[in-house]
Amino acid sequence: LGSVPIPQKDDDIDLVNYDHVDFTEEDNNFTLKFSDKEYYNSGAALSVSAIGEEIGDFEVLDREKNSSTAKVFALSDVSSEFAVAVQYSGSNNYHVYRNTWYQPETVGQLIDDLELEKFLNINSVYYQEYKPEHKNVMYMADSELIWNTIFGDRTLETSGSNDDHEVSISSIDRSEKYCELEIGCDMPVYGRFNFGIKVYMNGAVFTNLVERGTHFNIGAEKAQALIE
């Protein structure tokens, strides 16, 4: 990707995510108290064209827990339940803050809240086989196939609970054959890089796309067709 120029504090930033951005004193701000939730600085910054309506003034804490007030804005076409933009006093920069407790209820909500069709970058695919042989193979991603298979049914319920037995991988029969697929992804606009979407033989899909992780089940037939 090459080197990315580091903007001055009051520059109108287009999109700077690929390298760490040093905003001097701005980079020290870390936590936003908003809507009875805590949002954390993602390290990403956006231009004014990506900013929606102003929500109001809220408290921001730096890493030493010192408090200040900043303006909070919605992101265009992105749910404020997932992320907002924060502008510190005296600055023109807009910093992306993510809600670390965000959890969607359905695949459709996940797609819409994050504007996933626009912002999800699907990169490489890693096939991992444990039985009958042990092998790891990397493929170039067929993004359209992956999207349609994993996110094609918007009605599927999602869960952040590891006790959801309906999608639990513990139910997979591993006696003769066991394999899984991991899809490497990025979402630079939210400061998310190198996270994964795992697809298991029984249809379970687990991802750390959201902070606390979420999972759902696409069905064994779809999953095995994608894996194999």
Side-chain angles (χ1 to χ4, degrees):
L1 294 171
S3 60
V4 177
I6 297 176
Q8 297 301 310
K9 177 181 174 184
D10 290 325
D11 279 356
D12 187 16
I13 300 167
D14 185 17
L15 174 60
V16 182
N17 285 94
Y18 297 104
D19 293 329
H20 176 73
V21 181
D22 181 7
F23 290 105
T24 60
E25 68 268 27
E26 293 189 20
D27 192 49
N28 193 45
N29 290 304
F30 189 61
T31 308
L32 166 71
K33 303 283 189 178
F34 169 66
S35 189
D36 296 324
K37 304 178 183 71
E38 285 191 342
Y39 288 61
Y40 289 88
N41 191 341
S42 71
L46 298 173
S47 70
V48 67
S49 62
I51 306 304
E53 294 183 358
E54 182 177 340
I55 298 172
D57 293 340
F58 293 87
E59 181 185 27
V60 174
L61 300 177
D62 66 18
R63 296 178 189 275
E64 287 75 43
K65 305 298 183 183
N66 299 309
S67 174
S68 62
T69 301
K71 291 188 181 299
V72 175
F73 296 80
L75 298 176
S76 297
D77 302 318
V78 175
S79 172
S80 296
E81 286 294 312
F82 172 69
V84 294
V86 175
Q87 186 181 52
Y88 309 129
S89 177
S91 171
N92 292 328
N93 298 326
Y94 296 93
H95 301 262
V96 178
Y97 277 62
R98 298 194 306 263
N99 174 11
T100 56
W101 293 98
Y102 169 81
Q103 187 61 233
E105 295 182 358
T106 66
V107 168
Q109 183 186 353
L110 179 66
I111 293 170
D112 294 341
D113 283 358
L114 279 64
E115 202 172 7
L116 214 56
E117 287 187 78
K118 179 178 180 180
F119 293 131
L120 178 66
N121 296 337
I122 298 174
N123 303 321
S124 300
V125 175
Y126 304 89
Y127 171 79
Q128 298 172 321
E129 183 178 303
Y130 301 95
K131 287 184 179 181
E133 299 180 51
H134 194 286
K135 59 182 177 181
N136 297 290
V137 184
M138 185 180 76
Y139 299 98
M140 295 299 294
D142 183 336
S143 298
E144 184 176 359
L145 174 64
I146 290 169
W147 177 271
N148 290 336
T149 303
I150 295 177
F151 300 107
D153 187 347
R154 295 173 52 89
T155 66
L156 292 177
E157 294 184 357
T158 60
S159 173
S161 171
N162 291 326
D163 297 325
D164 191 336
H165 297 292
E166 183 179 349
V167 298
S168 175
I169 62 173
S170 63
S171 63
I172 299 174
D173 180 3
R174 309 183 191 204
S175 57
E176 295 184 3
K177 183 175 183 179
Y178 181 62
C179 55
E180 60 191 40
L181 203 69
E182 182 167 7
I183 302 155
C185 302
D186 295 320
M187 289 192 300
V189 70
Y190 303 125
R192 294 300 313 276
F193 298 92
N194 301 318
F195 64 88
I197 301 174
K198 276 198 170 185
V199 182
Y200 297 89
M201 293 170 59
N202 69 338
V205 176
F206 285 75
T207 178
N208 59 346
L209 186 153
V210 298
E211 308 295 327
R212 303 288 171 175
T214 194
H215 55 255
F216 49 94
N217 197 302
I218 61 175
E221 185 176 348
K222 282 185 178 181
Q224 291 180 30
L226 185 63
I227 292 171
E228 299 174 1

